[in-house]
Amino acid sequence: MQYSHQKHAPYMKLELKQAQNIALSQQLYRQQQLFGKEGLRQLITQLGYVQIDTISVVERAHHHTVWSRISDYNKDHLDELQANDRAIFEYWGHAASYLPMEDYRFALPRMHSFPDANSWERQFFDKYRHLMDDVLKRISQEGPLGAKDFSDDRSEKPVSGWGSEKPAKLALDLLFWKGELMISRRQGFQRIYDLRERVLPPGLDTSFPSKEELFRYYILRSLNAMGIGSLIDIQSHFMVSGKAQFQPYLNNLLESGEVIENDIPGLKDKHYLLPHALECLNIPETVPEQLYLLSPFDNVVILRQRIKRLFNFDYTLECYVTPSKRKYGYWCLPILYKQQFIGRLDCKANRAQKQMEIVTLHLEPDVKPNADLKRALQHTFDSFSLFCGCKSTKVI
């Protein structure tokens, strides 16, 4: 690791292995000491967001992501942090996500600009605008409501696609994206909506951020979550477009020393980190020995090009791929072992039989399945199966 100064800004040269250590420690290893509901709150703050997904081939993505880090994870704690403690809220992170409530004000610009005049959402917003006042009135008078509380009187219903949902459901979602409604809680997996002012905790800073505050947040929150990343990684963390928008604010943070610029031998793009991330170079040697079966939506792997660049792991979630073109399987979980991505496990939970079904296991070409690896894989798989409510295993 070499230090120097370039244009009066902190600069260093990290080896690729050091960059990998920082990325994994900040996004995964350092959270292994978190426990209970407070640990969950700290986890979501550290990661910046935990992505929500509807697919439940094994366990839903948000639960899977947390389980990989908090050994005593209780799913009820997520609901309690949202519905009772008001410590987290739902909105767009990388995609639909749980975010720390203290970050709410930084979601305001996206809410206020929705829907963009040229976006696909605009047509739906205009189409269902006439329903929104009635939806807001009912929730104002009756309290929190879900889509099931609204009728659907259409004579003809589209077969599929987002626009096939009943109009009131679309109006609820659009009002949520606009920020006029928030998700008060989940009932099962169904969203229950309420007025924003009845969900936000008292005393929360809801001031509209300046552009400088917003982009400082994007950069600092992203790097704190990732440990290390390129400019495109920083943008992709919260799915914010426009490299030119970021560059002047990144330059300011480099000049102030709040961000450090890195060159990594063998990588074309410059990478950036926060000074405290250098502590990750001293990660305990026992932690990286663990084997992890990660969710396809886990923060560690969600930026596919970043993982390919830093770890030479080319990962695609193939449930979105035409079956005939799948190489590894419908729901392959990335396998991380001893700080390297060593393969993919395609599995699914048969809940009727309480059985975890192993479809395929693919190891990377240079990985040898020795006794230590087999034991680690079996131990993690057994723990994961129990977490998913399965009591036995079947190879299919």
Side-chain angles (χ1 to χ4, degrees):
M1 181 170 59
Q2 301 175 0
Y3 294 88
S4 65
H5 283 79
Q6 187 179 58
K7 298 180 182 178
H8 309 292
Y11 167 84
M12 67 172 46
K13 183 173 289 188
L14 291 173
E15 296 300 320
L16 180 59
K17 187 65 176 178
Q18 292 175 310
Q20 293 173 346
N21 288 349
I22 290 171
L24 291 177
S25 183
Q26 195 75 355
Q27 288 190 293
L28 182 63
Y29 298 148
R30 68 172 292 183
Q31 291 107 32
Q32 302 299 307
Q33 304 305 313
L34 298 177
F35 301 98
K37 187 168 69 170
E38 174 57 22
L40 175 57
R41 186 196 65 77
Q42 293 178 36
L43 171 66
I44 295 173
T45 300
Q46 162 62 34
L47 293 177
Y49 68 84
V50 169
Q51 186 166 330
I52 305 167
D53 196 78
T54 59
I55 301 174
S56 56
V57 175
V58 284
E59 180 53 90
R60 296 194 191 277
H62 42 290
H63 294 311
H64 188 169
T65 295
V66 176
W67 172 84
S68 295
R69 294 160 173 80
I70 298 181
S71 59
D72 69 341
Y73 175 52
N74 181 335
K75 297 175 189 177
D76 291 340
H77 287 164
L78 197 59
D79 294 331
E80 290 172 13
L81 284 176
Q82 179 181 34
N84 302 335
D85 303 342
R86 300 302 191 199
I88 59 175
F89 74 105
E90 290 187 41
Y91 202 64
W92 297 110
H94 180 79
S97 303
Y98 292 106
L99 300 105
M101 185 62 82
E102 60 262 35
D103 288 357
Y104 173 81
R105 64 189 291 255
F106 297 106
L108 291 174
R110 184 170 284 181
M111 294 174 181
H112 284 216
S113 64
F114 178 85
D116 183 271
N118 299 315
S119 67
W120 65 268
E121 298 101 330
R122 183 82 229 183
Q123 61 176 309
F124 291 101
F125 192 83
D126 291 340
K127 182 176 181 179
Y128 298 108
R129 187 191 298 269
H130 67 287
L131 296 176
M132 294 182 188
D133 286 344
D134 289 339
V135 168
L136 287 171
K137 183 178 180 180
R138 277 199 60 188
I139 291 176
S140 177
Q141 294 176 346
E142 299 176 36
L145 298 174
K148 63 179 176 55
D149 298 306
F150 294 85
S151 61
D152 185 357
D153 56 3
R154 290 175 297 171
S155 56
E156 295 185 10
K157 302 175 183 179
V159 175
S160 62
W162 189 76
S164 66
E165 299 278 5
K166 61 183 175 183
K169 168 67 165 62
L170 298 177
L172 286 165
D173 286 343
L174 292 164
L175 286 165
F176 164 68
W177 293 345
K178 187 67 176 171
E180 295 187 47
L181 292 178
M182 293 183 71
I183 297 170
S184 175
R185 59 186 172 86
R186 291 269 182 167
Q187 187 171 301
F189 194 62
Q190 301 304 307
R191 294 169 164 181
I192 305 299
Y193 300 84
D194 201 356
L195 302 179
R196 171 179 51 200
E197 57 268 26
R198 295 201 299 228
V199 173
L200 294 175
L204 182 71
D205 183 358
T206 58
S207 60
F208 198 91
S210 67
K211 192 171 183 181
E212 180 177 4
E213 286 179 309
L214 182 63
F215 279 88
R216 278 180 59 89
Y217 163 77
Y218 285 148
I219 296 168
L220 295 177
R221 177 64 90 187
S222 299
L223 287 177
N224 186 63
M226 293 187 293
I228 189 167
S230 67
L231 181 51
I232 191 65
D233 297 334
I234 293 170
Q235 291 176 243
S236 300
H237 182 77
F238 285 123
M239 298 289 280
V240 181
S241 61
K243 181 178 178 180
Q245 291 190 87
F246 279 82
Q247 197 64 61
Y249 301 104
L250 178 58
N251 291 342
N252 290 342
L253 290 167
L254 288 167
E255 289 291 336
S256 68
E258 294 171 85
V259 173
I260 301 173
E261 183 179 276
N262 299 265
D263 276 327
I264 301 172
L267 300 186
K268 178 181 177 181
D269 296 333
K270 291 185 181 299
H271 285 67
Y272 305 92
L273 57 75
L274 306 183
H276 72 76
L278 294 174
E279 300 170 7
C280 297
L281 295 176
N282 301 316
I283 54 177
E285 293 184 2
T286 55
V287 174
E289 296 295 312
Q290 297 180 29
L291 185 143
Y292 297 86
L293 294 175
L294 299 174
S295 165
F297 298 102
D298 193 288
N299 300 56
V300 173
V301 297
I302 194 62
L303 301 185
R304 312 298 194 213
Q305 290 303 311
R306 177 172 180 262
I307 292 303
K308 185 175 182 180
R309 184 190 331 123
L310 289 178
F311 292 90
N312 194 31
F313 186 63
D314 192 0
Y315 177 68
T316 300
L317 178 54
E318 295 184 345
C319 67
Y320 302 121
V321 175
T322 303
S324 61
K325 295 182 178 180
R326 288 175 190 152
K327 184 177 179 181
Y328 299 108
Y330 181 87
W331 194 253
C332 278
L333 309 180
I335 305 172
L336 177 69
Y337 181 56
K338 294 186 176 181
Q339 298 176 265
Q340 292 297 319
F341 290 92
I342 64 165
R344 304 156 177 83
L345 176 67
D346 186 22
C347 58
K348 59 181 179 180
N350 183 332
R351 291 181 175 81
Q353 302 295 324
K354 294 188 176 181
Q355 190 171 67
M356 184 64 78
E357 299 175 346
I358 300 175
V359 185
T360 56
L361 170 65
H362 297 273
L363 298 179
E364 296 292 273
D366 59 342
V367 175
K368 306 300 181 185
N370 58 31
D372 287 344
L373 171 56
K374 290 178 181 178
R375 279 194 296 270
L377 184 58
Q378 186 67 58
H379 173 75
T380 302
F381 181 74
D382 289 345
S383 298
F384 181 63
S385 297
L386 287 173
F387 175 69
C388 295
C390 297
K391 296 181 178 180
S392 63
T393 300
K394 179 182 178 181
V395 178
I396 62 174

